[in-house]
Amino acid sequence: MEKSKKYLILTYGCQMNVHESEKLAGILESNGYTHCTDATNADIVVFNTCAIRENAEEKIFGNIGELKNIKLAKPDMIIAVGGCMSQQKNYADEIMQKYPYVDIVFGTHNLADFDNFLKKRISTGKKVSEITEDETIALRDQMLISRTSGVNAWVNIMYGCNNFCTYCIVPYVRGREVSRPEQDILNEVKKLLSEGYKQITLLGQNVNSYKGIDENGNTVSFAKLLSDVDGFDGKYRVRFMTSHPKDLSSETIDVIAKSKHICHGIHLPVQSGSDKILKTMNRHYDIERYKKVVNEIREKIPDSELTTDIIVGFPGETEEDFEKTLEVMRFAKYMQIFGFNYSKRKGTPAEVMPNQVDYKTKQERLSRLLNLKNEIIYKKTAEMLGKTYEVLVESYDENKDLLFGSLDSGKTISFKGPKNCVGEFLNVRVKEVRKSVIYGEIADDLETLNLTEKTFKQPIQVSILPKDGSGMKILRQNKENKRLEDNEKSKAKNK
Ligand code: SAH
Ligand code: SF4
Ligand code: F3S
């Protein structure tokens, strides 16, 4: 029997990319490939890249470089590089030149064409490099999806971004906003629920500006979409990301407040606490507006929990501006904060703004931000001790003999219990708190729940080299083979 061909997908960046890798996996599986966890076993390696910050790009380039020796030993292995980094101007050519062993380069809008690129590469042996600017292609995607996120299913509701925050590369690599028709989304959600998925996350760069059409051609707002996604039978959760503070409407907050299934944990990136910086970031809100939205959420959804993204060291940010960021953190009492050093992105307005902040200052501010973040989160976490929460059990770790689940707020909790709890909603009491980590115990009587074991594909841990260290041996061997090969070649030439 022919050995089945193997694929490895390395995913960088946001949830959007995680989901798009599931689509790439679907294409590869329909071509007869099965997954593997490291490049030394792979017949094809796909990099699904991110360009959001410089360190993301450096890591990816480093990883593509690491593949060189493996490719030398396995010349038939196909290497493909797609996603946001490839989509940037001139990057496709740069990748092909710097890494001549890369076979396929494709952009963010070419996902649906990946099948053709792969077949073309295999049948002609020629390299393929295709980047298009046409974002509407994404709407064609009725692709096979190989979901790997356990009880979670990601659903795109829109693609692209029109906001042009001055630091951000996304609008340049993801194109303008296009919304999927509402019925396509509802059909997908319905199918996922019937397949047993328990947590649906609606994805878009700015979900609040969703503007789809219904079957009669009428415009559908995000609030209406949310309320329709909330309308299915059974027990499930709905999350969405990301919300833009300028666009999160009262109508949407009302829908969440009245809903049965929509989580009360809301990701609301503030980016900065200074009006001056928010203005130069082109965020279209000030802190007064932000606080008004937060207050409205708190009033209408008393058990809501917020999470946020913050950039420190944006050009022109003074100590005073930064202190305002700390102030908004104290005000919003976030459950989680993702803090980033500002990173220059090619072609964005902020790249050439005056008063760039030096690295040392950025680092110092980031560490102060992290200290305050911990203070806020530890305090909030401590208050959870002894309380009982509804938890969606997401996975079971055999080595630790522990179940992992998520609260409505998105916070993770671990506790002892049988494996067949995965995919169930259980009541769990918080019995121990260590800094921001919480441990619990099941508060339900499992006997009465009649649990059955369900199978969910869990995310697999992938890496370029095998985890057991055998990779270094492979690389040394490959280098040696190459040296011998070169010797043979030069001998043949000299004859
Ligand atoms: N569309 C989402 C998220 C986009 S990217 C939103 O608008 O919130 C995720 C986060 O990365 C952003 O919220 C921002 O905090 C951060 N980010 C984006 N560009 C960045 C840059 N150039 N430097 C540092 N952080 C950046
Ligand atoms: Fe980037 Fe701003 Fe669009 Fe988010 S809203 S993707 S931060 S441009
Ligand atoms: Fe996401 Fe990175 Fe692209 S954050 S949209 S994968 S630039």
Side-chain angles (χ1 to χ4, degrees):
M1 208 176 84
E2 203 190 329
K3 187 176 140 275
S4 86
K5 297 175 293 180
K6 303 269 187 219
Y7 73 84
L8 172 73
I9 301 177
L10 296 155
T11 308
Y12 306 81
C14 62
Q15 230 45 258
M16 195 76 85
N17 262 18
V18 171
H19 184 41
E20 284 175 0
S21 287
E22 295 181 332
K23 296 181 182 177
L24 288 166
I27 295 175
L28 288 161
E29 286 173 17
S30 73
N31 278 279
Y33 290 83
T34 53
H35 77 76
C36 67
T37 55
D38 61 71
T40 55
N41 285 315
D43 297 288
I44 178 164
V45 179
V46 186
F47 287 86
N48 191 11
T49 65
C50 170
I52 201 81
R53 281 170 289 275
E54 201 180 349
N55 53 7
E57 287 195 358
E58 280 167 359
K59 187 171 167 201
I60 297 164
F61 279 133
N63 288 165
I64 300 175
E66 278 180 77
L67 273 193
K68 189 175 171 185
N69 280 327
I70 300 174
K71 175 88 173 192
L72 282 175
K74 299 177 21 169
D76 291 338
M77 179 174 81
I78 297 173
I79 302 177
V81 183
C84 292
M85 198 175 87
S86 311
Q87 184 73 32
Q88 288 178 92
K89 217 171 167 204
N90 304 330
Y91 265 59
D93 291 344
E94 195 183 322
I95 294 167
M96 283 295 193
Q97 272 165 18
K98 266 201 199 154
Y99 307 94
Y101 48 90
V102 168
D103 300 280
I104 303 172
V105 179
F106 61 104
T108 51
H109 310 307
N110 299 114
L111 209 62
D113 297 324
F114 183 70
D115 189 41
N116 295 335
F117 299 162
L118 179 65
K119 291 193 163 94
K120 199 162 144 192
R121 170 66 184 79
I122 292 172
S123 64
T124 67
K126 291 202 180 112
K127 289 174 186 271
V128 183
S129 172
E130 288 236 15
I131 309 289
T132 167
E133 299 292 330
D134 180 3
E135 53 263 327
T136 58
I137 291 182
L139 295 178
R140 272 199 340 232
D141 104 40
Q142 294 294 338
M143 297 190 281
L144 300 158
I145 303 176
S146 172
R147 296 183 188 267
T148 53
S149 304
V151 303
N152 288 293
W154 319 107
V155 176
N156 287 118
I157 63 165
M158 60 191 298
Y159 301 92
C161 181
N162 291 352
N163 287 321
F164 289 94
C165 302
T166 52
Y167 49 81
C168 186
I169 195 80
V170 173
Y172 304 87
V173 294
R174 291 274 174 178
R176 296 298 65 73
E177 286 172 3
V178 279
S179 297
R180 283 177 75 193
E182 189 195 31
Q183 201 52 49
D184 284 6
I185 300 168
L186 295 178
N187 292 344
E188 188 173 341
V189 172
K190 191 171 172 195
K191 181 165 172 275
L192 291 166
L193 295 174
S194 74
E195 288 167 357
Y197 289 95
K198 300 291 173 192
Q199 190 156 251
I200 309 287
T201 304
L202 308 178
L203 295 178
Q205 294 299 344
N206 175 11
V207 290
N208 310 107
S209 57
Y210 172 81
K211 210 171 168 191
I213 44 163
D214 67 13
E215 285 186 310
N216 303 318
N218 300 317
T219 308
V220 180
S221 67
F222 181 59
K224 169 80 168 66
L225 173 70
L226 261 191
S227 129
D228 291 344
V229 171
D230 185 49
F232 296 103
D233 294 333
K235 181 88 185 146
Y236 63 98
R237 276 183 186 165
V238 179
R239 298 187 187 280
F240 55 87
M241 61 204 282
T242 298
S243 275
H244 197 304
K246 80 175 160 68
D247 295 319
L248 182 60
S249 65
S250 298
E251 203 190 347
T252 300
I253 301 173
D254 290 336
V255 170
I256 303 169
K258 288 192 203 112
S259 75
K260 283 208 294 265
H261 307 280
I262 302 165
C263 288
H264 292 178
I266 300 173
H267 188 56
L268 197 63
V270 65
Q271 311 298 359
S272 167
S274 152
D275 287 346
K276 179 191 94 192
I277 296 296
L278 288 172
K279 204 168 166 77
T280 47
M281 282 179 163
N282 196 32
R283 290 288 289 176
H284 291 281
Y285 55 85
D286 56 16
I287 285 300
E288 195 186 322
R289 152 81 191 168
Y290 189 85
K291 287 185 171 171
K292 207 169 141 229
V293 178
V294 172
N295 284 333
E296 187 177 345
I297 295 174
R298 283 177 177 161
E299 212 173 282
K300 293 179 176 166
I301 316 168
D303 63 347
S304 61
E305 290 289 358
L306 297 177
T307 55
T308 205
D309 294 346
I310 291 174
I311 297 178
V312 303
F314 185 77
E317 185 189 72
T318 59
E319 173 61 25
E320 204 187 347
D321 294 317
F322 176 66
E323 276 166 22
K324 289 184 178 152
T325 297
L326 299 178
E327 216 172 282
V328 79
M329 284 166 64
R330 285 189 198 99
F331 166 80
K333 298 192 187 72
Y334 298 107
M335 186 64 130
Q336 183 56 279
I337 296 165
F338 301 94
F340 309 103
N341 271 347
Y342 166 69
S343 169
K344 272 189 185 180
R345 300 288 64 209
K346 246 181 251 150
T348 61
E351 185 199 6
V352 290
M353 281 184 186
N355 304 319
Q356 297 280 335
V357 176
D358 63 88
Y359 181 71
K360 200 167 151 255
T361 309
K362 280 190 219 171
Q363 279 302 87
E364 184 258 340
R365 287 183 189 160
L366 189 64
S367 91
R368 281 161 66 199
L369 178 143
L370 294 179
N371 285 341
L372 178 61
K373 161 186 156 167
N374 287 340
E375 197 183 296
I376 294 169
I377 297 177
Y378 295 170
K379 187 161 178 275
K380 284 177 73 81
T381 316
E383 287 164 4
M384 298 171 84
L385 191 64
K387 292 190 185 146
T388 299
Y389 296 87
E390 185 182 71
V391 167
L392 168 60
V393 188
E394 299 204 11
S395 62
Y396 170 73
D397 184 326
E398 291 200 2
N399 297 327
K400 296 184 183 142
D401 185 27
L402 271 181
L403 291 164
F404 289 84
S406 59
L407 272 51
D408 180 286
S409 65
K411 193 161 180 70
T412 302
I413 184 164
S414 53
F415 48 97
K416 289 264 181 220
K419 193 180 169 189
N420 61 6
C421 290
V422 174
E424 297 291 334
F425 288 88
L426 298 179
N427 289 305
V428 178
R429 191 180 309 110
V430 179
K431 65 163 192 183
E432 193 188 336
V433 172
R434 278 188 231 152
K435 293 189 171 174
S436 65
V437 183
I438 54 175
Y439 303 88
E441 60 193 358
I442 297 173
D444 293 315
D445 179 2
L446 291 184
E447 301 270 299
T448 61
L449 289 179
N450 196 16
L451 303 177
T452 53
E453 191 154 332
K454 297 164 253 4
T455 45
F456 294 101
K457 269 212 254 169
Q458 292 300 328
I460 43 163
Q461 289 291 325
V462 298
S463 59
I464 291 184
L465 293 174
K467 284 260 161 49
D468 59 9
S470 59
M472 289 322 290
K473 203 172 118 203
I474 295 165
L475 287 188
R476 272 198 300 273
Q477 215 166 5
N478 295 345
K479 268 195 189 146
E480 180 62 11
N481 290 346
K482 174 81 170 62
R483 197 180 59 76
L484 293 175
E485 210 175 282
D486 288 349
N487 279 351
E488 289 300 313
K489 270 191 206 148
S490 71
K491 265 192 223 154
K493 230 196 231 166
N494 293 338
K495 261 184 194 163

